[in-house]
Amino acid sequence: MRGELSESGGGRFARPTYDVPADDWVAAVEEAKKEGYDYFDWLSAVDELPGGFMVVVHLWSIAQKKGVLIRAEIPRSAPAIASIVGIYPGAAWHERETHEMFGIGFPENQNLKPLLLPEEFEGHPLRKEFVLASRVAKPWPGAKEPGESEHTVSKRAPMRPPGVPDPNEWPK
């Protein structure tokens, strides 16, 4: 199979991992299917700040009882990669979720409507720069550091992520 070969972590569950250029993404997935990886397992992404995203697909060979990971890096400035739905139709749902959660486009996939979030939701919650405003508006229920609890005085003032206004300034 084409691409740079490494092995994922995971001890006895380790998988051969091929890093391919984004332009070779579809060809690498097609080649894996020809080599017997006949079962599509999952597709997602990893936010690799600041460079971009790593799109990852896990395929399985039922006959050989082994899996393979194929990864392609895409830039943050143009987060898009070719769809593999034509090879594995089961990838459609995973591409929709990856589009919704990371903002990665799959130009050939015409059905990228939201799966998990309301239509009016703004942003992509699995991007590292996405601010979880609920952590600012409502205190985190657990201890932040060893020794902190409801019964002790906090050792530090709560911090707001950059760009999040004080909750007292939010419109009601």
Side-chain angles (χ1 to χ4, degrees):
M1 190 177 310
R2 67 184 78 204
E4 185 178 321
L5 176 63
S6 62
E7 189 169 285
S8 69
R12 69 184 184 110
F13 300 106
R15 301 275 184 259
T17 303
Y18 291 91
D19 291 311
V20 300
D23 292 340
D24 293 342
W25 171 251
V26 171
V29 172
E30 285 175 334
E31 188 175 335
K33 188 168 187 175
K34 288 177 188 169
E35 290 181 11
Y37 293 96
D38 49 350
Y39 180 79
F40 169 85
D41 192 8
W42 55 264
L43 177 145
S44 192
V46 178
D47 189 341
E48 300 280 359
L49 269 178
F53 302 94
M54 185 71 71
V55 180
V56 184
V57 66
H58 182 252
L59 306 172
W60 184 259
S61 170
I62 295 170
Q64 300 171 52
K65 294 183 175 59
K66 65 179 185 175
V68 66
L69 292 170
I70 301 172
R71 306 185 302 192
E73 190 172 339
I74 58 173
R76 184 169 293 282
S77 60
I81 194 161
S83 174
I84 61 167
V85 172
I87 306 165
Y88 294 103
W93 187 92
H94 297 257
E95 289 182 1
R96 284 176 63 189
E97 182 185 36
T98 302
H99 173 71
E100 183 176 24
M101 295 293 154
F102 291 95
I104 295 172
F106 296 88
E108 300 82 9
N109 188 335
Q110 301 302 310
N111 187 19
L112 293 177
K113 62 185 179 192
L115 277 168
L116 305 169
L117 302 172
E119 298 249 353
E120 64 276 3
F121 190 88
E122 294 180 15
H124 305 288
L126 292 184
R127 285 188 173 202
K128 289 183 179 175
E129 73 267 10
F130 186 82
V131 176
L132 295 173
S134 63
R135 295 280 173 92
V136 176
K138 183 178 177 184
W140 184 249
K144 296 176 185 78
E145 294 179 4
E148 285 186 2
S149 72
E150 295 176 358
H151 307 291
T152 62
V153 177
S154 179
K155 298 176 186 172
R156 62 179 178 204
M159 295 176 55
R160 280 192 314 278
V164 176
D166 186 296
N168 299 322
E169 299 171 7
W170 293 5
K172 303 280 180 196

